Amino acid sequence: MKLVVFEDIQAAANFFPISLSRPVFELRCGMFNLAEKITKRLSAEPSAYLVRDYLVATFKRRAGSAAVNDLAAVKNDTVLMVNGQVKAASLKVAADGPSEIGMKGDQVVYCRLAGNDTAKIDAAKVGIETLPLVDGHNVAVKQVEAEFFNYSWDIMLESPHEIAHDFKMVGKSGIEGTVEQPNAIRGSKDDVYIAPGAKIHPMVVIDASAGPVYLSEDVEVHPFTRIEGPAFVGRKSLLLGAKLREGCSIGPVCRVGGEVEESIMHAYSNKYHDGFLGHAYVGEWVNLGALTTNSDLKNDYSTVEVMLNGQKIDTGSNKVGSIIGDHTKTSIATLFNTGSIIGAMGLLMGTGEPLPKAIPSFAWFINGVVTKGFGRKALYKTAETATSRRKMPWTQDDLDLWEKIFEITKEERDVAVAKGRKQMVRR
């Protein structure tokens, strides 16, 4: 059986701004991303991925040996295509069997092709349709039970539960790194794993009484840090006197200080200083200045509404902080309101008051208004500087990706900039 993980192109915008620069199935939840959860559920590594066309060049760098938007290699075997938005724990499909498409309502859960049907995959449709069409349309369709992540905050809210699930699935516990004394581990030591190369300084508290704690290879934890489970910290990340409250999933090579609660951070992002980050989803290469803080609960405890792609959406939860896209930087004392959607590649200056709940990508938020600032080339220069500090290249493919994202986000940004100009005239 050949496994193909695809993203529902029509639904990808529901995960903006985090999904602007990556396939939806690369979003982190718990200890793994969504595609990794599917592969572990099915005990099969993907032979191919199907993504939006403009993501192909940069995603290929992370796809390993799997093909990207090329199905030539999977036509001579049974092929199982799985929607990368599906919650892996709810996925119930046999690797072998007759050709069929499994649907939950009007969403494709999986498409299994067997026998002669594998030769009928129309690879020309990749990137145009949700999944490749089959000549003759002779594949049976059935309704199946499955659950989907529909928005980025859905993933964030489920992440604490997923950390506990993933910890149990991985099956590792114990101390293989270095733990200096004095330290305190609360709860069962069976619920703690400290990987080889990890360094835990003195005066650190690891509290696994309410959930497991997994510290990956080469993590470093400085004194006066408290880590409450369930928690996951990715390789080479640094915790600097942090209050890591329950439910945090920190990706690799991040620097985290201050208070963080039930939040997800992708790779290479920094929250080095004091400030509160709660029920947030933070992309890659984000830098949060000292005392940057978000609210994650309304004063009346009602459910949080967000503005996403120009539409007001009720999240159905009373705990949603901020969603922050890749490469965005904040100044000291930046304040985010409850349910803020902050675009990618932005530069934001604090005002002493909560910022608007929706700020578009490539925005320069200066003196309380959205402007074009010094333009996107200056933002690219900052991004190149940031990546070089971590020995990561900034390539022509990266530039092409962000130029496309600039086009995709143009309409929302133009509206915000025009509004900002009117605000400045009235002052």
Side-chain angles (χ1 to χ4, degrees):
M1 183 270 288
K2 299 290 180 67
L3 175 63
V4 178
V5 179
F6 68 91
E7 62 172 351
D8 185 336
I9 295 170
Q10 295 176 341
N14 290 347
F15 298 86
F16 284 177
I18 305 297
S19 64
L20 278 167
S21 50
R22 61 179 56 79
V24 171
F25 55 72
E26 273 200 306
L27 270 65
R28 173 179 295 277
C29 182
M31 291 171 55
F32 304 103
N33 66 38
L34 303 188
E36 290 169 338
K37 290 177 178 293
I38 290 170
T39 62
K40 293 178 186 302
R41 174 73 171 178
L42 299 175
S43 300
E45 291 297 320
S47 296
Y49 296 96
L50 306 181
V51 303
R52 284 160 282 163
D53 290 341
Y54 77 90
L55 296 176
V56 171
T58 52
F59 177 64
K60 277 184 176 179
R61 302 197 302 236
R62 306 186 295 275
S65 60
V68 180
N69 284 20
D70 180 3
L71 298 176
V74 303
K75 286 191 175 183
N76 297 317
D77 200 343
T78 298
V79 178
L80 179 62
M81 303 181 187
V82 177
N83 188 333
Q85 276 178 247
V86 71
K87 296 181 180 180
S90 74
L91 181 61
K92 299 177 182 178
V93 56
D96 297 314
S99 296
E100 66 181 25
I101 296 177
M103 305 282 293
K104 177 64 181 294
D106 59 357
Q107 282 187 287
V108 177
V109 179
Y110 64 85
C111 175
R112 184 177 59 220
L113 301 178
N116 293 332
D117 287 333
T118 62
K120 299 176 183 179
I121 297 174
D122 187 352
K125 297 295 185 181
V126 174
I128 300 173
E129 303 292 344
T130 299
L131 72 168
L133 298 180
V134 178
D135 291 345
H137 306 283
N138 60 342
V139 177
V141 177
K142 63 181 291 188
Q143 288 291 318
V144 299
E145 291 301 317
E147 298 177 16
F148 290 89
F149 293 109
N150 294 311
Y151 297 98
S152 54
W153 54 85
D154 293 337
I155 299 175
M156 175 269 294
L157 290 168
E158 192 145 338
S159 186
H161 168 77
E162 286 294 300
I163 294 171
H165 173 272
D166 294 343
F167 186 94
K168 184 176 181 180
M169 178 182 61
V170 170
K172 289 184 178 181
S173 64
I175 299 173
E176 299 186 50
T178 301
V179 178
E180 299 179 38
Q181 299 298 326
N183 73 84
I185 296 179
R186 302 188 68 243
S188 172
K189 292 186 178 180
D190 291 340
D191 290 329
V192 175
Y193 178 66
I194 300 175
K199 297 178 181 178
I200 314 301
H201 292 205
M203 308 302 292
V204 169
V205 175
I206 298 175
D207 188 348
S209 60
V213 175
Y214 190 109
L215 305 181
S216 302
E217 292 80 3
D218 300 320
V219 163
E220 187 168 356
V221 183
H222 282 207
F224 309 112
T225 295
R226 177 182 173 87
I227 305 170
E228 298 177 9
F232 171 79
V233 182
R235 61 177 181 80
K236 295 187 178 181
S237 282
L238 180 63
L239 305 183
L240 302 109
K243 297 177 182 177
L244 211 63
R245 304 280 298 279
E246 77 283 353
C248 291
S249 176
I250 309 299
V253 201
C254 292
R255 295 182 177 182
V256 181
E259 183 180 5
V260 186
E261 179 183 18
E262 295 202 23
S263 295
I264 298 172
M265 294 178 68
H266 268 261
Y268 303 101
S269 286
N270 294 336
K271 183 197 172 299
Y272 200 92
H273 303 285
D274 285 345
F276 174 68
L277 188 71
H279 293 85
Y281 202 129
V282 179
E284 294 187 356
W285 302 107
V286 173
N287 191 79
L288 303 178
L291 302 180
T292 293
T293 292
N294 75 232
S295 166
D296 63 356
L297 178 68
K298 296 167 66 175
N299 288 341
D300 62 3
Y301 302 98
S302 60
T303 57
V304 178
E305 293 181 336
V306 302
M307 286 295 297
L308 178 64
N309 303 322
Q311 301 294 319
K312 183 180 288 187
I313 301 173
D314 190 331
T315 65
S317 172
N318 66 352
K319 280 293 190 84
V320 177
S322 53
I323 314 296
I324 305 174
D326 291 5
H327 287 287
T328 285
K329 312 288 192 278
T330 71
S331 75
I332 61 171
T334 299
L335 304 178
F336 292 125
N337 215 328
T338 317
S340 293
I341 304 292
I342 309 301
M345 199 65 76
L347 194 153
L348 316 178
M349 292 181 60
T351 64
E353 298 179 352
L355 274 58
K357 288 185 63 170
I359 297 180
S361 296
F362 291 89
W364 294 66
F365 189 82
I366 303 173
N367 296 326
V369 297
V370 173
T371 74
K372 291 184 177 179
F374 294 102
R376 65 187 187 276
K377 290 185 179 179
L379 296 173
Y380 293 156
K381 182 64 177 177
T382 300
E384 182 176 7
T385 300
T387 57
S388 68
R389 285 163 57 91
R390 297 291 180 267
K391 304 296 188 290
M392 299 286 286
W394 176 265
T395 68
Q396 184 63 45
D397 287 339
D398 293 304
L399 180 60
D400 293 343
L401 168 71
W402 286 99
E403 284 288 87
K404 179 63 178 180
I405 294 172
F406 184 81
E407 294 176 15
I408 292 170
T409 58
K410 181 178 186 301
E411 182 177 353
E412 180 185 14
R413 182 173 53 257
D414 285 350
V415 170
V417 169
K419 180 180 178 181
R421 286 173 178 162
K422 291 179 181 179
Q423 289 175 298
M424 287 188 287
V425 169
R426 289 196 295 266
R427 291 178 176 176

